[in-house]
């Protein structure tokens, strides 16, 4: 049995009607696993690695930038800012984004709460891209 996965980024569809056997991705508190026949639900998804087991058993890793997931009886739809497959990640760019965010964090004061959140999210996206490109999945 399998389910169909759609991933829609802000500027268009990234994955359309991909047949998968299993999806593991970051939820609001910890990992979420979705298998065929999962109950219908809507959930927030976090920034982190997403692992797909494709129909036939091949595993693929993606860097997910957070958003929402809708689980329906025959498929899953994820709405996200971005979702890169491991082979599409530019590691040098991610490392630069990581270094930039780390440096920026050190200059922030406690009153800059909104910017702190934005920079922390950027750091997490960069770390996820670096980990996913290296084949790491938590
Ligand atoms: P950067 O400062 O490197 O742009 P960012 O965190 O600002 O990093 P995002 O806003 O997360 O970048 O993403 C913007 C777009 O660039 C998205 O379409 C995303 O898929 C793509 N992108 C960002 N970083 C990478 C990367 N390292 N490799 C491949 N695509 C990336």
């Amino acid at each position: 049995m399998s389910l169909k996965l759609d991933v829609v980024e802000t500027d268009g569809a990234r994955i359309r009607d991909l047949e998968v056997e299993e999806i593991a991705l970051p939820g609001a508190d910890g990992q979420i696993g979705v298998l065929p026949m999962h109950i219908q639900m809507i959930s927030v998804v976090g920034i982190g690695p997403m692992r797909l087991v494709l129909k036939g058993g091949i595993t693929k890793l993606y860097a997910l930038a957070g958003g929402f997931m809708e689980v329906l009886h025959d498929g899953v739809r994820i709405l996200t800012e971005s979702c890169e497959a491991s082979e599409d990640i530019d590691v040098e760019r991610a490392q630069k984004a990581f270094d930039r965010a780390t440096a920026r964090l050190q200059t922030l004061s406690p009153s800059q709460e909104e910017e702190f959140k934005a920079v922390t999210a950027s750091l997490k996206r960069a770390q996820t891209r670096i980990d996913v490109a290296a084949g790491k999945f938590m």
Side-chain angles (χ1 to χ4, degrees):
M1 254 193 122
S2 62
L3 44 84
K4 289 219 167 125
L5 174 68
D6 282 287
V7 177
V8 182
E9 292 177 329
T10 34
D11 54 356
R14 167 78 75 155
I15 297 174
R16 207 189 290 260
D17 275 352
L18 182 65
E19 286 209 61
V20 299
E21 292 178 354
E22 192 184 325
I23 304 168
L25 76 179
D29 335 279
Q31 287 289 312
I32 306 180
V34 183
L35 295 166
M37 310 292 289
H38 195 285
I39 51 161
Q40 299 195 21
M41 67 169 192
I42 291 178
S43 170
V44 166
V45 293
I47 302 169
M50 172 170 79
R51 192 192 62 206
L52 303 181
V53 180
L54 305 185
K55 197 174 171 193
I58 290 174
T59 296
K60 281 202 72 167
L61 275 186
Y62 293 81
L64 188 65
F68 298 92
M69 171 175 70
E70 187 182 26
V71 182
L72 302 169
H73 66 282
D74 60 346
V76 172
R77 194 142 76 113
I78 295 171
L79 305 176
T80 180
E81 289 284 320
S82 67
C83 176
E84 302 94 36
S86 54
E87 67 271 19
D88 294 333
I89 292 171
D90 177 341
V91 178
E92 204 177 307
R93 176 177 168 182
Q95 189 60 55
K96 280 188 186 152
F98 183 91
D99 294 344
R100 203 167 45 240
T102 306
R104 183 70 187 120
L105 270 187
Q106 280 156 6
T107 67
L108 291 178
S109 67
S111 62
Q112 293 170 289
E113 211 176 308
E114 283 309 308
E115 187 159 8
F116 179 80
K117 276 190 202 155
V119 179
T120 305
S122 172
L123 189 64
K124 208 166 174 189
R125 286 196 299 275
Q127 182 68 65
T128 297
R129 287 173 177 135
I130 292 164
D131 288 347
V132 165
K136 273 194 214 160
F137 176 79
M138 293 117 229

